[in-house]
Amino acid sequence: MMIRDILLEMEQEEDDDEDGDIALENLDQMVVSSFGTLESQPDFRSPEFEDFNGKPDSLFFNDGQRRIDFVLVYEDESRKENNKKGSNEKQRRKRRAYESNLINDGLQLEATRSVLDDRLVFLKVHAPWEVLCTYAEIMHIKLPLKPNDLKTRSSAFGNFNWFSKFLQVDESIIKPEQEFFTAPFEKNRISDFYIRDRDTFFNPATRSRIVYFILSRVKYQVRDNVKKFGINKLVSSGIYKAAFPLHDCNFSHPSEDFTCPNERYLLYREWAHPRSIYKKQPLDLIRKYYGEKIGIYFAWLGYYTQMLLLAAVVGVACFLYGYVNRNNCTWSKEVCDPKIGGEIIMCPQCDKICPFWKLNITCESSQKLCIFDSFGTLVFAVFMGIWVTLFLEFWKRRQAELEYEWDTVELQQEEQPRPEYEARCTHVVINEITQEEERVPFTTCGKCIRVALCASAVLFWILLIIASVIGIIVYRLSVFIVFSTKLPKNVTGADPIQRYLTPHTATSITASVISFVIIMILNTIYEKVAIMITNFELPRTQTDYENSLTMKMFLFQFVNYYSSCFYIAFFKGKFVGYPGDPVYWLGKYRNEECDPGGCLLELTTQLTIIMGGKAIWNNIQEVLLPWIKNLIGRCRTVSGSEKITPRWEQDYHLQLMGRLGLFYEYLEMIIQFGFVTLFVASFPLAPLLALVNNILEIRVDAWKMTTQYRRMVPEKAQDIGAWQPIMQGIAIMAVVTNAMIIAFTSDMIPRLVYYWSFSVPPYGNHTHYTMEGYINNTLSYFNIVDFKNRTKENPYVGLGNHTTCRYRDFRHPPGHPQEYKHNIYYWHVIAAKLAFIIVTEHIIYSVKFFLSYAIPDVSKSTKSKIKREKYLTQKLLHENHLKDMTKNIAESIVGVADNNLRPKLE
C-alpha cells in the first residue's frame, strides 16, 4: 500500500504568498510515488531528536552510518521570543506536515538542537539507496558503466612538460578522477552499472542534487483545491530559516574523520589560497564538489584569462611603441613649439566668459595623445578584431571537450517548471501537438499585456539612463565655463598648473568620476527592478528565467556603462558649428568641443576610470561584504564560541549565495569583455587591466565560495547559456566601433590625408611627403569681428588686439567666396574615413567568418571520443541485455524439458 501525503486543510486561512501553489490536477503529474503505508486518518510522522554527539567533523547521523545529504534549519516555535500563538501554530503545522511527507517519500530525518542557540533546530536529511535509485532514473542522471579504457592523446608540447607541471596542481595532492563510460541510470539494469560500493556510487554532489529535487516538490498544504509545496516557498515564508548541503570539512584544516575526502580543504589550499595564484584551476574537483554549472563558469573565466594574456602582450607592445615614438610626433612638436603653437591664438570655446588662448597650453595632452593615437593603435584594433573571433571559436572547442569529460553531451534531464510558474497555471488550453488539455498561467491576451508592460518598464529605465547621460553632458558644458574662468584673460604665458590641468582635462576627469558614481547607483537600483520585471513576466523554467533576466540586465548595463563612452567617441565635438555660428544644446548650452588633439585622450581617461573603478569596487565588495557579515555573525555567538560546534551549525553561519549569484559573476565579466573589445582602439592597455583583474577575480571568487559561503546545490549545465550569443554580438559590434573610433575620434585619417595629399603639390608647398605644417593646415581662420550676430554685439571686444583666431575644422578663411564653408581638405578626409571604415570592416569580417568556418566547434578527437563512447556504451548494454535474454530463454527451455521428461519417467 502507498502512503498518502499529509495535506493540511487550510481553506479558511489566509496565506502570505502564492509561490509554490499548484492545482491538484497539475501537481499529480510531476510528483512521483511515495513509499510505505498510512491509515485513513494519518498522523504526523516526526523526525527523531538526537543530541549532538560531540564530533564537529561528522557528516553522518548519530549512528555513523547514514550520510547527511541536506540540512534544514528552523526556529522552534515554542521558544520564539515574540510568541504569536496563532501564527506560530500555523507555521508549526505546515512544517510538521512537510516533514511527515518527506518521511513518507522515503527520506530519513534526524533533528538536533543548536549548540549555541537552543531555539534553532537542525533537521538532517538522508536519502537511502532505494530513493536515490528511483530519482536518479527520473532525473536521467548519467552514472558509470565501466572504466574508460580509451587512451588519451599525448600533448604536442611534450618538451615543455617541466613548465606545465610547474603550473599544474600536484597530482599527489589532488588525484585525477577516474574516467568512466556512463549512461542514464535505469533501475531494471542496475546490474550493468559499475557499483563497487553503494555508499560511494552516488557522490555527495549527486546525492544533494537528488535530495533537493525531492525537497522542491514535496507538498505540505491544500487550500481551495490547490496544493502548496517546495522548500523554496517554506524558506521564503520563514517557516524554515535555511536549507543547504554540507561542506565536507573546515577549509583551513583537514577533517579528523579519515573517511572524509577533504575536498573543501584541498580546493582552498590548491585553488583559493593566494599562494596558488599562478597554478591552473583543478576544474575536475571544482565540478565534482560544486557541480557542472559552477565548473563551467570557472572553466570559461580561466580560458578567457589565458586568452587575455596574448591580447595584453600585444597591447603593451603597441603602448610601448607609442611611448617610445612620442618624441618623434611632428604635430605634437608643432603644438609645443613656442614659435608655432605659442603664436597660434585659439578662439574662445564658450560665450562671453571664455578667453582667447594659446595652442601650446595643450602641449602636455598632445604628447600623451601621441602614445595612444599612433600606428600601433591601428594594428592593435585589427588584431583585437581577429583575437575575439579566435577566443570565441577556441572556447567552443574547449566547451565541447568539457561536455564530453563531464557527461553533459546529451543532457537528458527534463527541466521542471518553476513553482512560481506552476502556481499560476489556472487557464486550460488545448496543446496543438498532443491535442490534450494543459494548464497555462495566462491567456494569449494576458501574455501580450505582460510583454508590453515588461518592455515598457525596460524602455523607461533605458530612457532614464539616457537622461542621466544628458545630465552629464549638461554638467560638462556648465562646468567647462567655470574652469575656463580660471584662465587668464590675456594670452601671455601660461601658469604651470594650467599646462597640466586645462579646462578640458578638469572637465573630463570630474565628469568621468560623476558618471561612474551615477552608473553604480543606477546599476544597484536596476538589479532589483529587473528581477521584479522578470518575476512579473513569469518565465516557465529556471533557464528561461535566467535567460530573460540576462537579456534585460545586459541591455541595461550596456546602455549604463557604455553610453558615456559612445558619447565621447562619436558625438562630442562632432556637431559644434564654428565660432560665428555655434550649435547650442537645449537652446542654452553651447556644444562642447574636443581638444585640438581630438577626443581620443578623453575617451581613454573615461575608460581608465570606469574600468579601474569598477574592478576595484567589485573586488572590495566581493571580499569585504561576506567577510564583514560572517564576522558580525561570529560576534553575535561569541559567548558560545568555546563550545564545539557541529559541521552543520558552522555552515549555517556562513553567507547564502543565491541562485542568481553566478549570474552576477557572468554579468561582471561580460561588461568587462565589452570594454576590452568595443573601445580597445583608444586604450591598448585595457586587456592588461582585464588580465590583472581576472587573475584576482578567479581567486577572490574561489576564496569566497570555499570560505565565506554555504555550499550551493550542485546543478547541471551544458554551456554558458545566453552569454555565448551576447559575446558573439559584442564581437561583431566591436569591429564597427573600433573602425569608427580610428576614423572619427582619432586624428589618424586626417594626418594620413595630409601626409599623402596635402603636404605636397598641388595642395601643399613641400617637395616631399612630410607632417610638417600639419597643425597650421588643420586649424581654420575666423575673423573676430564676425562674432556678432543678429541679436548680440561682439562679446570679445576688448579682450586683446586680435583680428583673427583659429579653430579646429576644415573651412575656408574669411574673405573667401565660400567663407566658412567646408574646404576640399574636409571632403578628402570624409571620403578617406568612409573608405577606411568600409575596407577595414570587410577585411576583418572576412577574416572572422573564414576563421569561424575553418575552426570546427568540436574537435575531431572529441567527436571520435563521443562516438566511440556511445558505441561502446550501446554495445555493453546490448550485450548484457542479450546475456539476460539468453539466460532466461535457456532457463525456460530447461524448465519445459524437465516438465516433459518427468511424466515419461513416472
Side-chain angles (χ1 to χ4, degrees):
M1 288 175 34
M2 308 297 294
I3 280 189
R4 292 190 297 106
D5 291 331
I6 299 174
L7 297 175
L8 300 180
E9 294 288 345
M10 308 283 289
E11 295 183 2
Q12 304 301 323
E13 296 183 4
E14 296 182 358
D15 201 8
D16 55 346
D17 197 353
E18 293 185 359
D19 294 348
D21 304 356
I22 184 170
L24 289 175
E25 306 89 82
N26 252 7
L27 185 62
D28 293 338
Q29 298 175 6
M30 48 182 295
V31 178
V32 299
S33 60
S34 307
F35 301 82
T37 61
L38 188 67
E39 314 209 356
S40 58
Q41 296 295 330
D43 295 326
F44 289 132
R45 303 181 68 186
S46 301
E48 303 171 358
F49 264 84
E50 298 286 348
D51 293 330
F52 173 48
N53 59 10
K55 298 179 179 179
D57 294 329
S58 176
L59 302 175
F60 296 88
F61 282 14
N62 275 11
D63 58 15
Q65 301 296 321
R66 292 173 291 175
R67 183 181 182 89
I68 302 172
D69 299 317
F70 226 87
V71 175
L72 309 180
V73 187
Y74 66 89
E75 189 173 359
D76 191 342
E77 293 81 2
S78 63
R79 303 193 183 189
K80 285 185 177 180
E81 293 179 356
N82 298 325
N83 195 355
K84 297 180 181 179
K85 193 170 183 180
S87 175
N88 289 341
E89 179 61 22
K90 186 198 302 184
Q91 288 192 348
R92 188 181 68 84
R93 293 183 64 214
K94 290 179 183 179
R95 178 177 52 75
R96 291 187 63 195
Y98 181 73
E99 292 170 3
S100 181
N101 290 335
L102 289 178
I103 297 173
N104 294 343
D105 278 0
L107 297 179
Q108 298 175 2
L109 309 180
E110 182 180 88
T112 301
R113 288 200 178 274
S114 169
V115 174
L116 303 176
D117 184 356
D118 60 2
R119 291 173 299 177
L120 293 180
V121 177
F122 292 89
L123 187 67
K124 296 164 282 183
V125 183
H126 169 76
W129 172 259
E130 184 65 25
V131 173
L132 293 173
C133 291
T134 300
Y135 282 91
E137 183 172 4
I138 293 170
M139 298 170 66
H140 305 284
I141 295 177
K142 298 178 77 173
L143 293 168
L145 284 173
K146 61 175 293 187
N148 188 339
D149 55 0
L150 295 180
K151 294 182 179 179
T152 57
R153 183 177 296 181
S154 59
S155 173
F157 303 97
N159 295 330
F160 297 95
N161 279 345
W162 62 272
F163 183 71
S164 62
K165 286 183 178 178
F166 175 74
L167 299 177
Q168 292 283 0
V169 175
D170 191 348
E171 292 186 357
S172 63
I173 298 175
I174 298 180
K175 298 179 180 178
E177 294 292 323
Q178 185 178 4
E179 296 185 5
F180 292 91
F181 293 127
T182 61
F185 185 77
E186 297 179 30
K187 287 179 69 175
N188 60 352
R189 290 188 170 184
I190 194 170
S191 59
D192 295 337
F193 288 86
Y194 189 77
I195 304 176
R196 300 182 64 181
D197 184 355
R198 285 189 172 190
D199 294 334
T200 59
F201 180 65
F202 295 98
N203 63 38
T206 303
R207 297 176 68 99
S208 298
R209 189 154 64 94
I210 291 174
V211 171
Y212 181 74
F213 183 89
I214 301 172
L215 294 175
S216 300
R217 285 155 179 81
V218 167
K219 303 157 286 184
Y220 61 88
Q221 178 184 346
V222 62
R223 187 185 65 175
D224 297 333
N225 201 34
V226 170
K227 287 183 180 178
K228 296 178 178 292
F229 67 94
I231 187 61
N232 293 330
K233 158 70 177 171
L234 292 169
V235 172
S236 63
S237 61
I239 296 174
Y240 285 100
K241 298 180 72 68
F244 53 89
L246 286 179
H247 282 297
D248 65 351
C249 66
N250 195 297
F251 71 88
S252 58
H253 56 80
S255 171
E256 297 179 0
D257 185 355
F258 68 93
T259 61
C260 178
N262 295 309
E263 291 173 350
R264 184 191 186 194
Y265 167 73
L266 293 177
L267 285 171
Y268 174 74
R269 176 181 170 183
E270 301 296 326
W271 179 44
H273 199 280
R275 69 185 175 195
S276 302
I277 196 169
Y278 64 91
K279 292 184 179 180
K280 291 184 178 181
Q281 301 181 85
L283 292 176
D284 288 334
L285 184 58
I286 297 170
R287 170 249 180 170
K288 179 183 177 183
Y289 192 75
Y290 288 112
E292 286 77 6
K293 192 171 186 177
I294 290 178
I296 199 74
Y297 163 73
F298 280 105
W300 171 80
L301 181 55
Y303 196 82
Y304 171 44
T305 305
Q306 290 177 21
M307 291 293 290
L308 276 175
L309 180 61
L310 175 62
V313 170
V314 178
V316 170
C318 292
F319 173 80
L320 293 177
Y321 172 83
Y323 183 81
V324 171
N325 290 280
R326 72 189 188 284
N327 295 325
N328 299 326
C329 191
T330 305
W331 63 271
S332 177
K333 290 180 180 179
E334 291 183 349
V335 171
C336 299
D337 191 342
K339 296 181 179 180
I340 302 177
E343 299 295 331
I344 294 177
I345 306 301
M346 301 297 294
C347 296
Q349 294 186 315
C350 63
D351 294 335
K352 295 186 179 181
I353 299 177
C354 297
F356 295 96
W357 52 284
K358 287 186 177 182
L359 179 63
N360 65 346
I361 68 171
T362 63
C363 176
E364 294 294 332
S365 62
S366 67
Q367 290 177 343
K368 294 174 185 175
L369 190 62
C370 287
I371 299 175
F372 298 101
D373 194 1
S374 65
F375 178 74
T377 301
L378 173 61
V379 174
F380 188 57
V382 174
F383 166 80
M384 287 301 293
I386 299 172
W387 172 88
V388 69
T389 303
L390 291 174
F391 162 62
L392 292 175
E393 294 303 318
F394 282 123
W395 164 246
K396 289 179 185 177
R397 291 167 65 91
R398 175 59 177 152
Q399 188 171 255
E401 292 176 1
L402 292 175
E403 288 177 16
Y404 166 75
E405 294 172 3
W406 293 354
D407 287 327
T408 59
V409 175
E410 297 175 351
L411 195 58
Q412 296 181 12
Q413 179 181 357
E414 296 181 2
E415 191 170 10
Q416 299 292 335
R418 298 168 62 241
E420 295 84 356
Y421 178 88
E422 291 284 358
R424 311 273 182 180
C425 290
T426 56
H427 299 278
V428 179
V429 297
I430 302 299
N431 190 299
E432 294 180 356
I433 300 174
T434 63
Q435 293 298 310
E436 296 179 355
E437 289 187 354
E438 66 178 12
R439 289 181 177 268
V440 294
F442 32 69
T443 61
T444 303
C445 181
K447 184 175 182 180
C448 292
I449 293 174
R450 283 176 178 266
V451 171
L453 291 175
C454 292
S456 300
V458 173
L459 180 61
F460 168 77
W461 279 91
I462 290 177
L463 292 176
L464 184 62
I465 302 170
I466 295 175
S468 70
V469 174
I470 294 174
I472 293 294
I473 295 172
V474 172
Y475 166 82
R476 288 174 180 272
L477 301 176
S478 303
V479 80
F480 178 75
I481 297 175
V482 176
F483 284 122
S484 296
T485 59
K486 303 299 181 181
L487 290 174
K489 298 296 182 182
N490 54 63
V491 292
T492 57
D495 192 287
I497 296 179
Q498 293 170 353
R499 294 177 57 200
Y500 297 94
L501 191 63
T502 64
H504 280 287
T505 305
T507 303
S508 174
I509 293 176
T510 56
S512 297
V513 172
I514 294 174
S515 177
F516 170 72
V517 173
I518 292 176
I519 284 172
M520 300 309 296
I521 293 174
L522 288 177
N523 180 34
T524 303
I525 297 173
Y526 185 75
E527 283 181 5
K528 296 178 174 57
V529 173
I531 293 174
M532 291 173 59
I533 296 172
T534 309
N535 289 339
F536 178 75
E537 186 180 320
L538 206 62
R540 182 176 182 273
T541 64
Q542 184 65 23
T543 299
D544 294 338
Y545 181 90
E546 291 181 1
N547 289 343
S548 178
L549 184 61
T550 295
M551 297 308 298
K552 290 182 183 65
M553 284 296 295
F554 177 75
L555 183 62
F556 174 85
Q557 299 277 22
F558 184 90
V559 179
N560 194 20
Y561 279 105
Y562 303 145
S563 55
S564 59
C565 295
F566 274 102
Y567 165 73
I568 294 172
F570 305 124
F571 295 98
K572 183 182 178 183
K574 304 300 186 296
F575 311 101
V576 296
Y578 61 95
D581 187 22
V583 176
Y584 288 90
W585 270 77
L586 307 175
K588 181 179 179 181
Y589 298 101
R590 181 172 167 177
N591 205 350
E592 61 179 334
E593 301 178 24
C594 296
D595 275 330
C599 286
L600 191 68
L601 190 61
E602 186 172 347
L603 180 59
T604 302
T605 304
Q606 181 83 354
L607 285 171
T608 305
I609 291 176
I610 293 180
M611 278 193 69
K614 183 175 180 295
I616 294 171
W617 171 258
N618 286 338
N619 282 314
I620 290 176
Q621 191 177 34
E622 290 182 6
V623 172
L624 287 184
L625 282 184
W627 182 78
I628 291 174
K629 288 179 180 179
N630 287 332
L631 182 63
I632 293 173
R634 286 194 296 268
C635 291
R636 288 177 178 176
T637 58
V638 70
S639 59
S641 59
E642 68 277 2
K643 298 180 181 179
I644 298 176
T645 55
R647 171 84 271 134
W648 49 85
E649 190 154 0
Q650 296 174 37
D651 286 5
Y652 171 70
H653 291 294
L654 297 177
Q655 295 302 305
L656 170 66
M657 186 171 185
R659 298 198 69 180
L660 295 178
L662 206 59
F663 167 82
Y664 294 116
E665 302 295 343
Y666 271 117
L667 182 62
E668 178 187 348
M669 289 296 102
I670 295 299
I671 294 297
Q672 181 208 85
F673 178 77
F675 279 120
V676 168
T677 53
L678 290 174
F679 306 102
V680 74
S682 66
F683 190 37
L685 293 181
L688 178 63
L689 291 182
L691 175 65
V692 174
N693 174 76
N694 287 7
I695 291 174
L696 296 176
E697 179 75 20
I698 291 174
R699 306 304 164 175
V700 166
D701 287 347
W703 174 84
K704 188 172 60 177
M705 288 187 181
T706 54
T707 67
Q708 303 300 310
Y709 285 104
R710 298 170 190 161
R711 188 174 183 177
M712 289 153 287
V713 179
E715 294 183 62
K716 281 280 186 180
Q718 194 170 16
D719 49 38
I720 61 174
W723 302 109
Q724 183 80 22
I726 287 176
M727 286 194 297
Q728 291 172 340
I730 292 175
I732 294 173
M733 187 184 294
V735 177
V736 180
T737 56
N738 284 299
M740 292 181 68
I741 286 173
I742 293 174
F744 293 106
T745 310
S746 79
D747 262 358
M748 185 172 296
I749 301 301
R751 289 200 300 268
L752 291 175
V753 170
Y754 176 82
Y755 182 84
W756 292 107
S757 297
F758 285 80
S759 64
V760 295
Y763 302 109
N765 300 321
H766 298 280
T767 57
H768 60 281
Y769 299 111
T770 180
M771 285 300 297
E772 294 180 4
Y774 169 75
I775 290 295
N776 187 62
N777 194 270
T778 55
L779 295 176
S780 299
Y781 286 90
F782 182 78
N783 196 341
I784 293 177
V785 298
D786 294 333
F787 269 122
K788 63 184 179 181
N789 53 39
R790 282 180 264 177
T791 59
K792 298 179 181 179
E793 295 297 325
N794 183 356
Y796 298 103
V797 173
L799 294 182
N801 298 322
H802 311 294
T803 58
T804 60
C805 61
R806 308 292 291 274
Y807 63 99
R808 179 182 171 80
D809 207 343
F810 307 110
R811 295 178 183 268
H812 291 293
H816 193 276
Q818 295 183 336
E819 185 179 59
Y820 302 135
K821 301 293 183 182
H822 287 119
N823 58 23
I824 189 66
Y825 193 177
Y826 172 82
W827 298 110
H828 274 71
V829 169
I830 289 296
K833 288 181 176 181
L834 295 177
F836 172 80
I837 292 174
I838 294 172
V839 172
T840 303
E841 285 181 0
H842 279 69
I843 291 175
I844 297 179
Y845 280 139
S846 299
V847 174
K848 285 170 69 70
F849 292 140
F850 171 76
L851 290 174
S852 299
Y853 175 79
I855 302 174
D857 293 348
V858 183
S859 65
K860 186 177 180 180
S861 61
T862 303
K863 285 182 179 178
S864 300
K865 290 178 182 178
I866 294 172
K867 291 178 181 178
R868 174 68 175 165
E869 179 175 356
K870 186 178 294 186
Y871 166 75
L872 292 176
T873 301
Q874 292 177 348
K875 181 181 177 182
L876 177 64
L877 292 175
H878 182 65
E879 287 178 350
N880 289 339
H881 184 59
L882 282 180
K883 288 179 181 178
D884 293 339
M885 288 184 62
T886 304
K887 182 179 179 181
N888 293 335
I889 292 172
E891 289 177 352
S892 62
I893 292 174
V894 171
V896 171
D898 289 344
N899 292 334
N900 291 335
L901 289 173
R902 194 169 296 151
K904 294 180 180 180
L905 293 174
E906 291 176 354

